[in-house]
Amino acid sequence: MASARRSLNVVGKPLPRVDAWGKATGRTRYADDLSLPRMLYGRLLLSTQPHALIKRIDVSRALELEGVVAVITGRDVPVRYGIMPVGQDETALAVDKVRYAGEPVAAVAALDEDTAEEALSLIEVEYEPLRPIMSIEEALRLPEPRIHDYVPAGNIHRLASLEFGDVAQGFAEADYVREDLFFFQGNTHLPMEQHSALAYWDPAEGKLTLWSSTQTPHYVQRALAKALELPENRVRVIATPVGGGFGGKSDPFHHEICAAKLSMLTGRPVKITLTREEVFYAHRGRHPELMWVRTGVKRDGRITAMEFQAFLDGGAYSSYGPATTYYAGTFQTITYRIPHYRFQAVRVFTNKPPCGPKRGHGTPQPRYALEVHLDKLAHDLGLDPVELRLRNLTGPNEVTVNWLHITSNGLRQCIERIVEASGWREKRGRLPYGRGIGFAVSAYMCGAGLPIYYNDMPHSEVQVKVDRSGNVTAYSMAIDIGQGSDTVIATVVAEVLGLYPEDIRLVTADTDLTPIDLGSYSSRVTMMVGNAAYEAAMKARQLIFRAAARELGVPVRRLEARDRTVFDRRDPSRALPFAEAARLAEARFGLISTIGSYRPPQRLGTYKGSGVGPSPAYSYSACAVEVQCDPETGEVKVEKVWLAHDIGRPINPILVEGQIEGSVYMALGEVLMEEQAFRKGQHRAPSMLDYKSPTIKEMPPVVSILVETDEPRGPFGAKEVGQGPLLCVIPAVANAVYDALGVRIDETPITPEKVLKALDEKAKGGPGRVGPERKPDFAFREPTRVERPPGWPHYRPHEEG
Amino acid sequence: MPKRLINLTVNGEAYEVAVEPWWSLLYTVREELGLTGSKEGCGTGDCGACSMLVDGRLVTSCIMLAVEADGCQVTTIEGLATDGNLHPVQQAFVEKGAVQCGYCIPGMVMAAYDLLRRNPNPTLEEVRLGLAGNLCRCTGYAKIYEAVLAAAERMRGD
């Protein structure tokens, strides 16, 4: 790939995204923009209770209302489903019991929205309230009442307990040990688009079609088939352009199944669009997480051992929780060499909307804890926090203590660039009181190495078809959620065939028409779809080159494709327009239709839990944040953010910058203001006005620095950028507040109230800290001992064949 | 209660529409006129995705009643591009990478269009103030204000 790189034509160029025109003119059709003849409007009735038995539901008055066509309750859709095979604990409507306020209990289809709305008010539900369990501490303390009875005990959903190496030995080698407690508050994706689904059951074909704003059409297809007891090949899911996902549209949802069921019952298309309030209940956002970390170091700052414990508030259902539980402890090791590492986590059920994957899936919380903890350790040791990190970094071509295979690794370059650009050495500890600078690093995967459900098939397949007009179409199930997957596919295919991204027609995200892609989650699309697209396009090019070579009388190896032309590299006057070459190829070989398939490399670890964390490659980030804090009001204003990201190589640098800026923005919201918080069992602020998120006025300038490491497994050397850059921003802000005011806010969000409380406490001679005071009294099971890779950290895996 | 007949001129075309008195202008334009470019992000006037111009005034159309717009000139996102040519604001959004998921963009473009009509030479702070009523969750706003400043420059012809 390196030699091909010299002549790259569209990869790496700041071209406009292929879907920008439609989006800038309002022509792009999102799910709620669709309608079909005789379509009905569906609405969901929500539980008012956080935890209660349903004693009675009476829908008769609703059914009598003129214009109401159908009403369903939990009894009509009783089959359990869930995104993960081990978490089949949801039903489309609550059956016998509600587990959070806002959980759907009935659904209505009516001729118009007004009637559907009115019908909801006519449904009578009688609840027998149960004690709601609203916090991690309550869930651990109270085995009764149980939110689910399928788990072995109490309200404990999942457990993880692993030890790599020998932690006791590691701590015995330490000169200094420090431990800290942190709390990361839950927050939600708040996509601009409210979830929406339009279902149509065609009785003639016996087939269901669902248009939905989903990040995972393949998994929704499977869940619909299960919940509605249909064969999978009778369910077609078409993901519409997603108006913001961030992980929040990665689960199968109630409204999708209810719209489908109502369509099957009425024989008419049914659309359900969630209200903004309902989007807060659909959630699947950031887990509130209490974390304890203890690290042993040598005098010079080298880590000898680390213990990390996490207590996750999962909300009322499983969702991706089994994976999230492991993500609490998996990626600490890809930034730092930790010779002996113990990780333990517990995810509990509470009576709140289910938590799941939000940008960074389960890793922003531990990254926040780890990076603030290391900042404190550096201060204890009298070391520059950057220096402490430099002494512990992982390198390229390394296997971590928990068996994750790092290929390219640009973390050191990221750090060096940030130190330089931000003026770190001149600023840290030297800015006037109230002003401060903070630093942190992070890393993320380029796609989960394992699919959600076990299978040995490819994770991504792309088909490329070249027709006799010279038109090129790429087929892929990838769904553009704003991250730019359409542009990535078009750019990769165009590069290989010597065309431009706008020349490539795309057919995407349709389970009937497109070959598999597992979905837009885990930052997998550029890596996996990009590689599949590259392979498919290369095969098409080979056929076209063979036909052109014969016509031009030159060997295939001398041909090149560029500017819509196929030509002889040695004598560029020997050339054919691409369309002509395509016609010759079709005449000789028949239909030019080629395929590419991608499956991630085998994981190295074989222990239980080793399925979470492996990835073809890891991206790295480092950032510095400068803040101005007002000690009178407690307000923290972010003045500037410098963020360096190891992108491998950018497919499109404008899109890469956009992902960095968007990640910084979302991180600032999480660290300074956003809270999915509850009071008396109810969501405290289920509206865009009350759920505070940053506006354009709060957004500071961001200096984006791209570090290129040419990832050998990435398409054209590329790695992910959608999630990784978010992670380091949150702890960097916390560390900057400390540099500015000398107080530690060990709990997100860092609100003015907490800053003032810490300052007040410090003024009274206290440590000047706000955060959790004690670790819950919970006995983790003895960890499973896992051998370190032999010769760690110098272990090298066998080269791939 | 019978529906009310109102007259709207939307993007230069005259419509007579029967509306319920509680229907919002957004709902009416999307559902009755089929112009789905304007988006609902909240339904409570908080996010700006439904921004349109009514008699030259920028409104959040999800909280304006359709009957209040009776007899008014309405401009929606569909009315900006003419003869297949993007408006300079749209052109700048496309070129500067200000679009990601795109859901806030119709409202964002309308707010920027309105701002530049009133103030052809805004400072960065004035752009921030002009767009403060429009939420975007994807971009971090940087490429959006860069696009608005670039559009202003192009429209002034400097």
Side-chain angles (χ1 to χ4, degrees), chain A residues 17 21 23-25 29-30 32-33 113-114 189-190 194 243 276 657-659 661-662 665 674 694 696 699, chain B residues 22-23 27 30-31 36-37 39-42 47 86 90 99-102 128 132 135-138 140-141 143:
Chain A
R17 24 186 320 144
W21 202 95
K23 288 175 172 176
T25 55
R29 306 273 275 175
Y30 300 85
D32 188 45
D33 300 334
E113 290 187 57
D114 293 336
H189 318 81
L190 200 76
Q194 301 160 163
R276 176 51 61 185
E657 275 180 22
Q659 288 303 309
E661 290 161 0
Y665 154 84
E674 294 184 31
I696 194 169
M699 188 63 193
Chain B
W22 58 83
W23 283 1
Y27 178 88
R30 283 178 56 86
E31 301 295 324
T36 56
K39 304 302 180 198
E40 181 183 302
C42 63
C47 78
L86 296 180
Q90 294 169 311
V99 177
Q100 288 187 28
C101 88
R128 285 177 185 267
L135 293 180
C136 166
R137 290 290 282 175
C138 292
Y141 303 105
K143 301 220 177 308

Short mmCIF file of all heavy atoms in Angstrom, two decimals, chain A residues 17 21 23-25 29-30 32-33 113-114 189-190 194 243 276 657-659 661-662 665 674 694 696 699, chain B residues 22-23 27 30-31 36-37 39-42 47 86 90 99-102 128 132 135-138 140-141 143:
data_model
loop_
_atom_site.label_atom_id
_atom_site.label_comp_id
_atom_site.label_asym_id
_atom_site.label_seq_id
_atom_site.Cartn_x
_atom_site.Cartn_y
_atom_site.Cartn_z
N ARG A 17 -18.22 15.95 1.56
CA ARG A 17 -18.83 14.64 1.72
C ARG A 17 -19.89 14.44 0.64
O ARG A 17 -20.50 15.39 0.17
CB ARG A 17 -19.44 14.41 3.09
CG ARG A 17 -19.82 15.58 3.88
CD ARG A 17 -20.27 15.30 5.28
NE ARG A 17 -21.11 14.13 5.44
CZ ARG A 17 -21.06 13.34 6.50
NH1 ARG A 17 -20.22 13.61 7.48
NH2 ARG A 17 -21.86 12.31 6.61
N TRP A 21 -24.79 17.70 -0.06
CA TRP A 21 -25.73 18.51 -0.85
C TRP A 21 -27.16 18.25 -0.40
O TRP A 21 -27.93 19.17 -0.14
CB TRP A 21 -25.53 18.15 -2.33
CG TRP A 21 -26.00 19.21 -3.28
CD1 TRP A 21 -25.26 20.19 -3.86
CD2 TRP A 21 -27.35 19.39 -3.76
NE1 TRP A 21 -26.05 20.96 -4.67
CE2 TRP A 21 -27.34 20.50 -4.63
CE3 TRP A 21 -28.56 18.72 -3.54
CZ2 TRP A 21 -28.49 20.95 -5.28
CZ3 TRP A 21 -29.72 19.17 -4.18
CH2 TRP A 21 -29.67 20.28 -5.04
N LYS A 23 -28.22 17.06 2.38
CA LYS A 23 -28.46 17.47 3.76
C LYS A 23 -28.54 18.99 3.89
O LYS A 23 -29.28 19.51 4.73
CB LYS A 23 -27.38 16.89 4.67
CG LYS A 23 -27.53 15.38 4.87
CD LYS A 23 -26.39 14.77 5.68
CE LYS A 23 -26.71 13.30 6.01
NZ LYS A 23 -25.58 12.65 6.71
N ALA A 24 -27.78 19.71 3.06
CA ALA A 24 -27.79 21.17 3.15
C ALA A 24 -29.03 21.77 2.51
O ALA A 24 -29.36 22.94 2.75
CB ALA A 24 -26.53 21.74 2.50
N THR A 25 -29.73 21.00 1.69
CA THR A 25 -30.92 21.53 1.02
C THR A 25 -32.21 21.01 1.61
O THR A 25 -33.30 21.38 1.16
CB THR A 25 -30.90 21.14 -0.48
OG1 THR A 25 -30.78 19.72 -0.57
CG2 THR A 25 -29.75 21.82 -1.21
N ARG A 29 -33.97 12.36 3.07
CA ARG A 29 -35.19 11.88 3.71
C ARG A 29 -34.83 11.01 4.92
O ARG A 29 -34.34 9.89 4.76
CB ARG A 29 -36.02 11.06 2.72
CG ARG A 29 -36.31 11.81 1.43
CD ARG A 29 -37.54 12.65 1.55
NE ARG A 29 -38.74 11.87 1.26
CZ ARG A 29 -39.97 12.36 1.38
NH1 ARG A 29 -40.16 13.60 1.81
NH2 ARG A 29 -41.00 11.61 1.09
N TYR A 30 -35.07 11.55 6.08
CA TYR A 30 -34.89 10.79 7.32
C TYR A 30 -36.17 9.99 7.57
O TYR A 30 -37.19 10.19 6.90
CB TYR A 30 -34.61 11.74 8.48
CG TYR A 30 -33.35 12.56 8.28
CD1 TYR A 30 -33.37 13.76 7.56
CD2 TYR A 30 -32.13 12.14 8.79
CE1 TYR A 30 -32.22 14.51 7.36
CE2 TYR A 30 -30.98 12.88 8.60
CZ TYR A 30 -31.03 14.07 7.88
OH TYR A 30 -29.89 14.80 7.69
N ASP A 32 -38.59 10.00 9.72
CA ASP A 32 -39.86 10.68 9.98
C ASP A 32 -40.34 11.47 8.76
O ASP A 32 -41.47 11.94 8.73
CB ASP A 32 -39.73 11.61 11.20
CG ASP A 32 -41.07 12.19 11.62
OD1 ASP A 32 -42.06 11.42 11.67
OD2 ASP A 32 -41.15 13.41 11.86
N ASP A 33 -39.48 11.63 7.76
CA ASP A 33 -39.89 12.34 6.55
C ASP A 33 -40.63 11.42 5.58
O ASP A 33 -41.15 11.88 4.56
CB ASP A 33 -38.67 12.92 5.82
CG ASP A 33 -37.90 13.90 6.70
OD1 ASP A 33 -38.53 14.50 7.60
OD2 ASP A 33 -36.68 14.07 6.49
N GLU A 113 -52.25 11.74 14.10
CA GLU A 113 -51.49 11.86 15.34
C GLU A 113 -52.36 12.35 16.49
O GLU A 113 -52.20 11.90 17.63
CB GLU A 113 -50.32 12.84 15.14
CG GLU A 113 -49.24 12.28 14.24
CD GLU A 113 -48.02 13.18 14.19
OE1 GLU A 113 -47.44 13.47 15.26
OE2 GLU A 113 -47.66 13.60 13.08
N ASP A 114 -53.25 13.28 16.21
CA ASP A 114 -54.11 13.81 17.28
C ASP A 114 -54.93 12.71 17.92
O ASP A 114 -55.07 12.63 19.14
CB ASP A 114 -55.05 14.89 16.72
CG ASP A 114 -54.29 16.14 16.27
OD1 ASP A 114 -53.17 16.36 16.78
OD2 ASP A 114 -54.81 16.86 15.41
N HIS A 189 -27.24 10.56 24.74
CA HIS A 189 -26.71 10.94 23.42
C HIS A 189 -27.32 12.24 22.92
O HIS A 189 -26.66 13.02 22.26
CB HIS A 189 -27.02 9.85 22.40
CG HIS A 189 -26.82 8.47 22.92
ND1 HIS A 189 -27.76 7.82 23.69
CD2 HIS A 189 -25.80 7.61 22.78
CE1 HIS A 189 -27.31 6.62 24.01
NE2 HIS A 189 -26.13 6.46 23.49
N LEU A 190 -28.59 12.43 23.18
CA LEU A 190 -29.33 13.60 22.71
C LEU A 190 -29.14 13.82 21.20
O LEU A 190 -28.73 14.91 20.77
CB LEU A 190 -28.89 14.85 23.49
CG LEU A 190 -29.86 16.04 23.46
CD1 LEU A 190 -31.04 15.78 24.37
CD2 LEU A 190 -29.16 17.32 23.89
N GLN A 194 -35.19 12.63 16.59
CA GLN A 194 -35.95 11.72 17.45
C GLN A 194 -36.11 10.40 16.69
O GLN A 194 -36.40 10.41 15.50
CB GLN A 194 -37.31 12.37 17.77
CG GLN A 194 -37.14 13.72 18.46
CD GLN A 194 -38.35 14.65 18.39
OE1 GLN A 194 -38.44 15.58 19.14
NE2 GLN A 194 -39.27 14.40 17.48
N GLY A 243 -30.12 10.75 11.86
CA GLY A 243 -29.91 12.15 12.27
C GLY A 243 -29.26 12.23 13.64
O GLY A 243 -29.77 12.87 14.55
N ARG A 276 -39.47 14.00 21.96
CA ARG A 276 -38.17 14.26 22.59
C ARG A 276 -38.13 13.65 23.99
O ARG A 276 -37.12 13.09 24.40
CB ARG A 276 -37.91 15.77 22.63
CG ARG A 276 -36.64 16.20 23.33
CD ARG A 276 -35.38 15.47 22.86
NE ARG A 276 -35.07 15.67 21.46
CZ ARG A 276 -34.07 15.06 20.83
NH1 ARG A 276 -33.29 14.20 21.48
NH2 ARG A 276 -33.87 15.26 19.56
N GLU A 657 -11.23 15.93 10.99
CA GLU A 657 -11.31 17.11 11.87
C GLU A 657 -12.71 17.26 12.45
O GLU A 657 -12.87 17.61 13.62
CB GLU A 657 -10.99 18.38 11.08
CG GLU A 657 -9.52 18.67 10.99
CD GLU A 657 -9.27 19.95 10.19
OE1 GLU A 657 -10.20 20.79 10.08
OE2 GLU A 657 -8.16 20.10 9.67
N GLY A 658 -13.71 17.01 11.62
CA GLY A 658 -15.09 17.13 12.10
C GLY A 658 -15.38 16.16 13.23
O GLY A 658 -16.08 16.50 14.18
N GLN A 659 -14.83 14.95 13.14
CA GLN A 659 -15.03 13.98 14.21
C GLN A 659 -14.29 14.40 15.48
O GLN A 659 -14.78 14.21 16.59
CB GLN A 659 -14.58 12.59 13.77
CG GLN A 659 -15.50 11.94 12.75
CD GLN A 659 -16.93 11.82 13.25
OE1 GLN A 659 -17.17 11.32 14.34
NE2 GLN A 659 -17.88 12.30 12.47
N GLU A 661 -13.54 17.56 16.37
CA GLU A 661 -14.25 18.71 16.95
C GLU A 661 -15.55 18.26 17.62
O GLU A 661 -15.90 18.74 18.70
CB GLU A 661 -14.52 19.75 15.86
CG GLU A 661 -13.25 20.45 15.41
CD GLU A 661 -13.36 21.14 14.04
OE1 GLU A 661 -14.45 21.08 13.42
OE2 GLU A 661 -12.36 21.71 13.59
N GLY A 662 -16.24 17.34 16.97
CA GLY A 662 -17.49 16.83 17.55
C GLY A 662 -17.25 16.05 18.82
O GLY A 662 -18.04 16.11 19.77
N TYR A 665 -16.48 18.52 21.59
CA TYR A 665 -17.75 19.14 21.99
C TYR A 665 -18.53 18.22 22.94
O TYR A 665 -18.99 18.63 24.00
CB TYR A 665 -18.59 19.47 20.75
CG TYR A 665 -20.06 19.52 21.01
CD1 TYR A 665 -20.66 20.68 21.51
CD2 TYR A 665 -20.87 18.40 20.82
CE1 TYR A 665 -22.01 20.72 21.81
CE2 TYR A 665 -22.21 18.42 21.11
CZ TYR A 665 -22.78 19.58 21.60
OH TYR A 665 -24.11 19.60 21.91
N GLU A 674 -23.71 17.93 31.39
CA GLU A 674 -24.80 16.99 31.07
C GLU A 674 -25.00 15.94 32.16
O GLU A 674 -24.05 15.35 32.66
CB GLU A 674 -24.51 16.31 29.73
CG GLU A 674 -24.54 17.31 28.58
CD GLU A 674 -24.36 16.67 27.22
OE1 GLU A 674 -24.78 15.51 27.04
OE2 GLU A 674 -23.80 17.33 26.33
N PRO A 694 -23.91 21.95 25.54
CA PRO A 694 -23.25 23.17 25.08
C PRO A 694 -23.85 23.71 23.79
O PRO A 694 -24.20 22.96 22.88
CB PRO A 694 -21.81 22.72 24.84
CG PRO A 694 -21.66 21.40 25.50
CD PRO A 694 -23.01 20.79 25.53
N ILE A 696 -23.33 26.80 20.66
CA ILE A 696 -22.20 27.37 19.90
C ILE A 696 -21.46 28.42 20.75
O ILE A 696 -20.28 28.64 20.55
CB ILE A 696 -22.72 27.96 18.57
CG1 ILE A 696 -21.56 28.25 17.60
CG2 ILE A 696 -23.56 29.21 18.80
CD1 ILE A 696 -22.02 28.57 16.19
N MET A 699 -18.67 26.77 22.92
CA MET A 699 -17.66 25.93 22.27
C MET A 699 -16.36 26.70 22.08
O MET A 699 -16.33 27.73 21.41
CB MET A 699 -18.21 25.46 20.91
CG MET A 699 -17.35 24.43 20.24
SD MET A 699 -17.20 22.89 21.19
CE MET A 699 -15.85 22.12 20.30
N TRP B 22 -54.89 23.95 16.65
CA TRP B 22 -53.72 23.69 17.50
C TRP B 22 -52.52 23.18 16.71
O TRP B 22 -51.48 22.89 17.26
CB TRP B 22 -54.09 22.69 18.60
CG TRP B 22 -54.62 21.38 18.09
CD1 TRP B 22 -53.91 20.31 17.67
CD2 TRP B 22 -55.99 21.01 17.93
NE1 TRP B 22 -54.73 19.30 17.25
CE2 TRP B 22 -56.02 19.70 17.40
CE3 TRP B 22 -57.21 21.69 18.19
CZ2 TRP B 22 -57.22 19.04 17.11
CZ3 TRP B 22 -58.39 21.02 17.91
CH2 TRP B 22 -58.39 19.70 17.38
N TRP B 23 -52.66 23.06 15.40
CA TRP B 23 -51.51 22.58 14.62
C TRP B 23 -50.41 23.63 14.55
O TRP B 23 -50.68 24.82 14.36
CB TRP B 23 -51.95 22.23 13.19
CG TRP B 23 -52.67 20.92 13.09
CD1 TRP B 23 -52.98 20.07 14.10
CD2 TRP B 23 -53.21 20.35 11.89
NE1 TRP B 23 -53.66 18.98 13.61
CE2 TRP B 23 -53.81 19.12 12.26
CE3 TRP B 23 -53.23 20.72 10.55
CZ2 TRP B 23 -54.44 18.29 11.33
CZ3 TRP B 23 -53.84 19.90 9.62
CH2 TRP B 23 -54.44 18.69 10.02
N TYR B 27 -45.74 21.42 11.70
CA TYR B 27 -46.55 20.24 11.38
C TYR B 27 -47.29 20.46 10.06
O TYR B 27 -47.34 19.59 9.20
CB TYR B 27 -47.54 19.98 12.53
CG TYR B 27 -48.47 18.82 12.29
CD1 TYR B 27 -48.09 17.53 12.65
CD2 TYR B 27 -49.72 19.01 11.69
CE1 TYR B 27 -48.93 16.45 12.42
CE2 TYR B 27 -50.57 17.93 11.46
CZ TYR B 27 -50.17 16.66 11.82
OH TYR B 27 -51.01 15.60 11.59
N ARG B 30 -44.90 20.38 7.04
CA ARG B 30 -44.37 19.03 6.79
C ARG B 30 -45.47 18.06 6.35
O ARG B 30 -45.33 17.36 5.34
CB ARG B 30 -43.70 18.46 8.06
CG ARG B 30 -42.32 19.02 8.34
CD ARG B 30 -41.76 18.44 9.66
NE ARG B 30 -41.73 16.99 9.64
CZ ARG B 30 -40.74 16.26 9.14
NH1 ARG B 30 -39.68 16.85 8.64
NH2 ARG B 30 -40.81 14.94 9.15
N GLU B 31 -46.56 18.02 7.12
CA GLU B 31 -47.55 16.97 6.91
C GLU B 31 -48.57 17.35 5.83
O GLU B 31 -49.01 16.48 5.08
CB GLU B 31 -48.27 16.65 8.22
CG GLU B 31 -47.36 16.20 9.35
CD GLU B 31 -46.66 14.87 9.09
OE1 GLU B 31 -47.28 13.98 8.47
OE2 GLU B 31 -45.49 14.73 9.51
N THR B 36 -40.68 18.44 3.80
CA THR B 36 -40.14 17.79 5.00
C THR B 36 -38.71 18.24 5.32
O THR B 36 -38.06 17.66 6.19
CB THR B 36 -40.15 16.26 4.84
OG1 THR B 36 -39.43 15.94 3.64
CG2 THR B 36 -41.57 15.73 4.74
N GLY B 37 -38.23 19.25 4.64
CA GLY B 37 -36.87 19.73 4.91
C GLY B 37 -36.72 20.29 6.32
O GLY B 37 -35.70 20.08 6.98
N LYS B 39 -37.10 20.35 10.23
CA LYS B 39 -37.12 19.18 11.11
C LYS B 39 -37.69 19.50 12.49
O LYS B 39 -37.52 20.62 12.99
CB LYS B 39 -35.68 18.65 11.32
CG LYS B 39 -34.96 18.30 10.04
CD LYS B 39 -35.69 17.27 9.22
CE LYS B 39 -34.96 16.94 7.95
NZ LYS B 39 -35.84 16.27 6.97
N GLU B 40 -38.28 18.48 13.11
CA GLU B 40 -38.62 18.60 14.52
C GLU B 40 -37.55 17.90 15.34
O GLU B 40 -37.32 16.70 15.18
CB GLU B 40 -39.97 17.95 14.83
CG GLU B 40 -40.31 18.11 16.31
CD GLU B 40 -41.60 17.43 16.73
OE1 GLU B 40 -42.65 17.77 16.16
OE2 GLU B 40 -41.54 16.57 17.63
N GLY B 41 -36.87 18.67 16.20
CA GLY B 41 -35.88 18.06 17.09
C GLY B 41 -36.39 18.00 18.52
O GLY B 41 -35.85 17.26 19.34
N CYS B 42 -37.38 18.80 18.83
CA CYS B 42 -37.85 18.82 20.22
C CYS B 42 -39.35 19.06 20.32
O CYS B 42 -40.01 18.52 21.19
CB CYS B 42 -37.09 19.88 21.02
SG CYS B 42 -37.36 21.57 20.42
N CYS B 47 -34.53 23.71 20.17
CA CYS B 47 -33.36 23.26 19.42
C CYS B 47 -33.12 23.98 18.09
O CYS B 47 -32.02 23.95 17.56
CB CYS B 47 -33.42 21.75 19.18
SG CYS B 47 -34.54 21.26 17.84
N LEU B 86 -27.06 25.97 -5.22
CA LEU B 86 -27.08 26.17 -3.78
C LEU B 86 -26.96 27.65 -3.45
O LEU B 86 -26.26 28.41 -4.14
CB LEU B 86 -25.93 25.42 -3.12
CG LEU B 86 -25.92 23.89 -3.23
CD1 LEU B 86 -24.70 23.32 -2.53
CD2 LEU B 86 -27.20 23.31 -2.63
N GLN B 90 -25.50 27.61 1.87
CA GLN B 90 -25.48 26.14 1.70
C GLN B 90 -24.17 25.67 1.09
O GLN B 90 -23.58 24.67 1.51
CB GLN B 90 -26.67 25.71 0.81
CG GLN B 90 -28.02 25.96 1.45
CD GLN B 90 -29.16 25.78 0.47
OE1 GLN B 90 -29.13 26.31 -0.64
NE2 GLN B 90 -30.18 25.03 0.88
N VAL B 99 -21.44 19.91 7.65
CA VAL B 99 -22.57 18.98 7.71
C VAL B 99 -22.06 17.62 8.18
O VAL B 99 -21.10 17.09 7.61
CB VAL B 99 -23.19 18.82 6.30
CG1 VAL B 99 -24.31 17.79 6.34
CG2 VAL B 99 -23.69 20.16 5.78
N GLN B 100 -22.69 17.06 9.20
CA GLN B 100 -22.43 15.66 9.52
C GLN B 100 -23.72 14.87 9.39
O GLN B 100 -24.09 14.50 8.27
CB GLN B 100 -21.76 15.52 10.89
CG GLN B 100 -20.29 15.99 10.86
CD GLN B 100 -19.54 15.70 12.15
OE1 GLN B 100 -19.83 14.77 12.88
NE2 GLN B 100 -18.51 16.50 12.43
N CYS B 101 -24.45 14.65 10.49
CA CYS B 101 -25.69 13.88 10.31
C CYS B 101 -26.71 14.69 9.53
O CYS B 101 -27.57 14.14 8.87
CB CYS B 101 -26.25 13.42 11.66
SG CYS B 101 -27.37 14.59 12.47
N GLY B 102 -26.63 16.02 9.62
CA GLY B 102 -27.44 16.88 8.78
C GLY B 102 -28.79 17.27 9.34
O GLY B 102 -29.49 18.09 8.74
N ARG B 128 -21.76 33.55 16.53
CA ARG B 128 -22.11 32.69 17.66
C ARG B 128 -23.44 33.11 18.26
O ARG B 128 -24.28 32.26 18.57
CB ARG B 128 -21.03 32.80 18.75
CG ARG B 128 -19.73 32.07 18.42
CD ARG B 128 -18.76 32.35 19.56
NE ARG B 128 -17.43 31.81 19.35
CZ ARG B 128 -17.03 30.61 19.79
NH1 ARG B 128 -17.86 29.83 20.44
NH2 ARG B 128 -15.80 30.20 19.57
N ALA B 132 -27.00 30.91 18.30
CA ALA B 132 -27.06 30.35 19.66
C ALA B 132 -28.36 29.60 19.92
O ALA B 132 -28.43 28.79 20.84
CB ALA B 132 -26.88 31.45 20.69
N LEU B 135 -29.20 24.06 18.13
CA LEU B 135 -28.32 23.03 18.67
C LEU B 135 -27.83 22.11 17.56
O LEU B 135 -28.56 21.80 16.62
CB LEU B 135 -29.05 22.20 19.72
CG LEU B 135 -29.44 22.92 21.01
CD1 LEU B 135 -30.15 21.94 21.95
CD2 LEU B 135 -28.24 23.53 21.71
N CYS B 136 -26.57 21.67 17.70
CA CYS B 136 -26.01 20.64 16.83
C CYS B 136 -25.24 19.71 17.74
O CYS B 136 -24.50 20.17 18.60
CB CYS B 136 -25.07 21.27 15.80
SG CYS B 136 -24.03 20.05 14.96
N ARG B 137 -25.42 18.41 17.58
CA ARG B 137 -24.73 17.46 18.46
C ARG B 137 -23.53 16.81 17.79
O ARG B 137 -22.80 16.07 18.43
CB ARG B 137 -25.71 16.38 18.93
CG ARG B 137 -26.74 16.90 19.92
CD ARG B 137 -26.16 17.24 21.26
NE ARG B 137 -25.91 16.06 22.08
CZ ARG B 137 -25.30 16.10 23.26
NH1 ARG B 137 -24.86 17.25 23.76
NH2 ARG B 137 -25.10 15.00 23.94
N CYS B 138 -23.35 17.05 16.48
CA CYS B 138 -22.28 16.35 15.76
C CYS B 138 -20.99 17.15 15.66
O CYS B 138 -19.91 16.63 15.86
CB CYS B 138 -22.70 16.03 14.33
SG CYS B 138 -24.00 14.80 14.16
N GLY B 140 -19.61 20.09 16.86
CA GLY B 140 -18.86 20.98 17.74
C GLY B 140 -18.87 22.41 17.23
O GLY B 140 -18.09 23.24 17.70
N TYR B 141 -19.70 22.68 16.26
CA TYR B 141 -20.00 24.03 15.76
C TYR B 141 -18.86 24.72 15.00
O TYR B 141 -19.08 25.71 14.33
CB TYR B 141 -20.44 24.98 16.89
CG TYR B 141 -21.65 24.51 17.66
CD1 TYR B 141 -21.52 23.98 18.94
CD2 TYR B 141 -22.93 24.60 17.11
CE1 TYR B 141 -22.64 23.56 19.67
CE2 TYR B 141 -24.05 24.18 17.83
CZ TYR B 141 -23.90 23.67 19.11
OH TYR B 141 -24.99 23.27 19.81
N LYS B 143 -16.93 24.05 12.36
CA LYS B 143 -17.03 24.16 10.91
C LYS B 143 -18.30 24.91 10.51
O LYS B 143 -18.38 25.46 9.42
CB LYS B 143 -16.98 22.77 10.28
CG LYS B 143 -15.67 22.04 10.64
CD LYS B 143 -15.10 21.26 9.51
CE LYS B 143 -13.78 20.59 9.85
NZ LYS B 143 -12.76 21.49 10.43
#
